[in-house]
């Protein structure tokens, strides 16, 4: 495989998954001080920063697994566009690629680019960031709210910190007084709680009522779910709580505060 260099143009960061600015990845490859190996496929190009401790096939397998999971959830047979998936070694490399962003991963959906800090393990399918990118191009619209957008992406992994989503949610509900309506209206207040709760709730809606209601909420906001399911959010919350109350959470070790 050839060695490539990667550079990033300045991008305006407004948050991990809510950043829809462009990143001129391919145009600036030769100008970077970071070295990358490159894997090409009909659906994607993978960039792997040099000195990774894992073999290239691990990263390709991760992307393929995530892509298959997303196509299964959205019920699509193939993608009609090509995306880039960039694996970097550290938060310092992430800062160079994503203009000072230091988190685990970020999706630039308009440019069809995912950047992620590479490691051997990931939650579930490792589909979270790629899901943001694919659903945007599948629906043609940006999400109406963070609750549905992030919940849907968390559900695409079907795990949180390696735990089953419903188990984590049951653990949180047994240790915190919290209502889904509060999370909907103030999603960013405590993301360590809102992400797994929302993922579990969206999983419940998807598995009981199907794909269509979740897509509707993605486009129009979760507060409008009654228009398609004909049930109020409080009713759905009762059903969800009853559904997950038997999920074992005794082995969960999870922080409840940021």
């Amino acid at each position: 495989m050839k060695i490539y260099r990667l550079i990033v143009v300045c991008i305006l960061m407004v948050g991990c998954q809510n950043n829809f600015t462009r990143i001129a990845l391919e145009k600036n490859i030769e100008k970077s001080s970071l070295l990358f190996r490159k894997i090409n496929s009909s659906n994607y190009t993978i960039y792997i920063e040099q000195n990774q401790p894992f073999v290239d096939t691990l990263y390709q397998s991760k992307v393929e697994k995530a892509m298959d999971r997303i196509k299964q959830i959205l019920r699509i047979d193939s993608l009609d566009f090509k995306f880039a998936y960039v694996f970097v070694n550290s938060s310092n490399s992430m800062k160079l690629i994503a203009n000072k962003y230091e988190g685990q991963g970020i999706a630039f959906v308009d440019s069809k680019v995912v950047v992620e800090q590479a490691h051997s393990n990931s939650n579930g399918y490792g589909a979270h960031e790629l899901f943001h990118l694919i659903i945007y191009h599948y629906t043609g619209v940006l999400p109406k709210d963070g609750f549905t957008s992030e919940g849907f992406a968390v559900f695409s992994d079907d795990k949180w910190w390696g735990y089953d989503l419903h188990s984590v949610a049951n653990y949180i509900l047994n240790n915190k007084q919290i209502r889904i309506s509060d999370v909907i209206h103030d999603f960013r207040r405590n993301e360590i709680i809102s992400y797994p709760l929302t993922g579990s709730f969206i999983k419940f809606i998807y598995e009981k009522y199907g794909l269509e209601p979740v897509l509707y909420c993605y486009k129009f906001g979760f507060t409008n779910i009654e228009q398609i399911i004909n049930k109020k959010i409080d009713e759905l919350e009762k059903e969800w709580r009853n559904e997950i109350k038997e999920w074992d959470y005794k082995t969960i070790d999870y922080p409840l505060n940021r």
Side-chain angles (χ1 to χ4, degrees):
M1 291 183 183
K2 296 180 180 179
I3 301 298
Y4 288 78
R5 293 181 180 273
L6 188 62
I7 194 172
V8 198
V9 294
C10 286
I11 51 176
L12 178 63
M13 296 297 298
V14 295
C16 181
Q17 321 307 340
N18 292 326
N19 177 15
F20 301 107
T21 55
R22 298 190 64 82
I23 178 172
L25 192 64
E26 298 285 353
K27 293 180 181 179
N28 297 284
I29 289 177
E30 296 300 328
K31 298 179 183 178
S32 174
S33 61
L34 298 177
L35 297 176
F36 285 81
R37 301 188 300 279
K38 188 175 180 180
I39 301 174
N40 271 310
S41 156
S42 59
N43 284 123
Y44 53 76
T45 299
I46 299 175
Y47 296 90
I48 306 169
E49 188 179 355
Q50 287 290 83
N51 301 317
Q52 282 287 342
F54 311 111
V55 296
D56 291 357
T57 52
L58 183 148
Y59 301 106
Q60 187 166 18
S61 175
K62 172 187 168 72
V63 173
E64 289 280 354
K65 186 178 179 182
M67 189 168 59
D68 288 345
R69 167 68 172 174
I70 295 165
K71 289 193 293 185
Q72 176 190 28
I73 290 175
L74 296 178
R75 298 173 190 166
I76 54 180
D77 295 325
S78 60
L79 302 182
D80 58 1
F81 63 90
K82 189 171 182 176
F83 61 88
Y85 208 116
V86 185
F87 290 99
V88 297
N89 290 342
S90 65
S91 59
N92 287 332
S93 294
M94 175 66 80
K95 286 169 66 177
L96 290 174
I97 301 303
N99 195 33
K100 299 183 180 180
Y101 177 73
E102 300 180 65
Q104 180 58 45
I106 186 168
F108 296 89
V109 298
D110 195 37
S111 300
K112 307 182 185 73
V113 175
V114 172
V115 186
E116 180 180 313
Q117 289 190 52
H119 50 76
S120 60
N121 299 313
S122 64
N123 287 333
Y125 295 89
H128 188 118
E129 301 300 341
L130 187 58
F131 186 87
H132 284 299
L133 190 156
I134 290 177
I135 193 173
Y136 167 69
H137 289 279
Y138 171 69
T139 62
V141 299
L142 299 177
K144 189 68 175 179
D145 60 33
F147 182 90
T148 312
S149 176
E150 295 301 340
F152 215 171
V154 171
F155 164 56
S156 73
D157 276 334
D158 207 24
K159 295 280 187 180
W160 187 255
W161 283 35
Y163 299 117
D164 291 316
L165 281 177
H166 287 340
S167 292
V168 179
N170 196 23
Y171 172 81
I172 292 171
L173 294 178
N174 276 274
N175 287 277
K176 282 274 190 181
Q177 294 293 324
I178 190 166
R179 298 168 63 241
I180 283 295
S181 59
D182 296 330
V183 180
I184 293 172
H185 293 296
D186 196 4
F187 181 78
R188 300 292 175 184
R189 183 176 182 180
N190 189 349
E191 294 178 355
I192 204 165
I193 286 179
S194 62
Y195 270 66
L197 275 186
T198 304
S200 172
F201 195 62
I202 293 296
K203 173 183 170 74
F204 163 74
I205 298 295
Y206 181 97
E207 292 181 344
K208 183 168 184 177
Y209 296 99
L211 170 63
E212 185 180 358
V214 185
L215 282 178
Y216 184 88
C217 292
Y218 174 88
K219 296 175 182 178
F220 302 107
F222 200 86
T223 54
N224 292 304
I225 194 169
E226 186 178 355
Q227 297 182 33
I228 191 167
I229 291 185
N230 199 31
K231 288 186 178 181
K232 296 184 182 298
I233 291 173
D234 288 347
E235 295 179 81
L236 294 171
E237 180 173 357
K238 288 179 182 178
E239 293 180 3
W240 167 65
R241 285 175 178 264
N242 187 61
E243 175 78 17
I244 70 172
K245 68 181 181 181
E246 301 301 327
W247 280 73
D248 182 31
Y249 63 88
K250 295 182 178 62
T251 60
I252 299 290
D253 181 17
Y254 186 73
L256 295 177
N257 297 293
R258 287 183 290 182

